Amino acid sequence: MSTESLSVERRARIHAALGDPARLAIVDALALGDASPGEIGHHLAMPTNLVAHHVKALVDVGLVVRTRSEGDRRRTYLRLQPETLATLTTPSLAVADRVVFVCTHNSARSQLAAALWRQRGGGPAASAGTHPAAKVHPRAVKVAHRHGLTLDPTGTAHITDVAGDGDLVIAVCDNAYEDLTSPHTEASTVRPRLHWSIPDPVRVDTDTAFETAYTDIAARVDRLAPALTTGADHG
């Protein structure tokens, strides 16, 4: 069995252990400090036998460990294992030289994504399109400016002129993703690793639509950044 499969199975066991509300309450109670089983039972108004049952399940998956008191050796304390909780976060991706965001026209979503990635310290980034427009959409420039980002109004490019072998390519729209994964298009020589299905704000063409796209992209960038190591991190 692969290391990845083992990781998924272990994470599934941890999720299962946390699926019981009483166990999740115990984990919450131990988040900021250690406690004895008796203290946990008192805090959660839980019978001793139930505390013991749930603690065993948490110990079995490595979420909690038991330690002996250095004072009264008859006492046991429960300690949360934060590193086990950390395994439930998004799996890491392989090292990439750069992140390249691609949409159809390279006029809004991909431009905002690349600018956000650079602003938030994600590392080197670029953007491109499968059918690039002549310029960046004015509303994209406007929303970027509102959030402290700078876009080059004429800085559009075709994906085949931008993406390299060491890049992580992310399609930020459905049309671009389908173009890049179709065997019948020129752009299919560039294969995206990730797909973000972000609605096209140009179709609606309002400030609100562009702001909504920005918010969606920003949340996805924040989720991806901790999971990826770029070339800048090794410089």
Side-chain angles (χ1 to χ4, degrees):
M1 184 178 294
S2 69
T3 301
E4 183 177 353
S5 296
L6 287 171
S7 173
V8 169
E9 289 192 2
R10 182 169 185 243
R11 287 163 58 212
R13 290 195 296 271
I14 296 168
H15 278 291
L18 291 171
D20 187 292
R23 294 173 196 164
L24 185 57
I26 292 172
V27 168
D28 286 346
L30 296 173
L32 299 179
D34 306 338
S36 69
E39 290 168 336
I40 289 292
H42 177 74
H43 176 67
L44 298 177
M46 189 182 299
T48 302
N49 62 327
L50 274 182
V51 172
H53 169 73
H54 291 308
V55 166
K56 181 180 184 303
L58 295 172
V59 169
D60 287 346
V61 297
L63 277 166
V64 169
V65 294
R66 300 182 182 95
T67 62
R68 286 288 180 186
S69 167
E70 290 184 349
D72 184 346
R73 299 290 294 174
R74 295 169 298 179
R75 289 177 66 89
T76 296
Y77 291 108
L78 304 174
R79 176 185 299 175
L80 186 66
Q81 297 292 89
E83 60 271 25
T84 301
L85 280 177
T87 65
L88 301 181
T89 59
T90 304
S92 297
L93 293 175
V95 174
D97 294 337
R98 183 179 58 163
V99 180
V100 176
F101 298 95
V102 56
C103 61
T104 304
H105 299 303
N106 191 210
S107 65
R109 290 164 289 182
S110 56
Q111 294 279 352
L112 291 169
L116 269 163
W117 186 262
R118 290 189 292 266
Q119 182 199 57
R120 302 195 175 186
S127 69
T130 53
H131 303 281
K135 62 181 181 178
V136 178
H137 196 286
R139 291 190 192 275
V141 176
K142 182 178 178 181
V143 75
H145 180 74
R146 187 158 58 244
H147 291 280
L149 304 174
T150 301
L151 300 184
D152 176 2
T154 61
T156 61
H158 194 277
I159 184 60
T160 56
D161 295 327
V162 174
D165 291 339
D167 293 333
L168 169 66
V169 178
I170 302 176
V172 296
C173 80
D174 298 340
N175 285 332
Y177 179 74
E178 289 159 16
D179 275 349
L180 293 172
T181 54
S182 168
H184 306 299
T185 63
E186 177 189 358
S188 66
T189 57
V190 178
R191 186 87 180 178
R193 174 74 184 278
L194 297 176
H195 172 209
W196 295 353
S197 184
I198 299 168
D200 185 2
V202 176
R203 294 190 182 206
V204 182
D205 201 16
T206 64
D207 287 347
T208 299
F210 278 81
E211 186 68 34
T212 298
Y214 170 89
T215 301
D216 190 350
I217 293 166
R220 291 171 183 268
V221 164
D222 286 343
R223 288 201 301 272
L224 175 63
L228 179 66
T229 301
T230 62
D233 299 310
H234 295 275

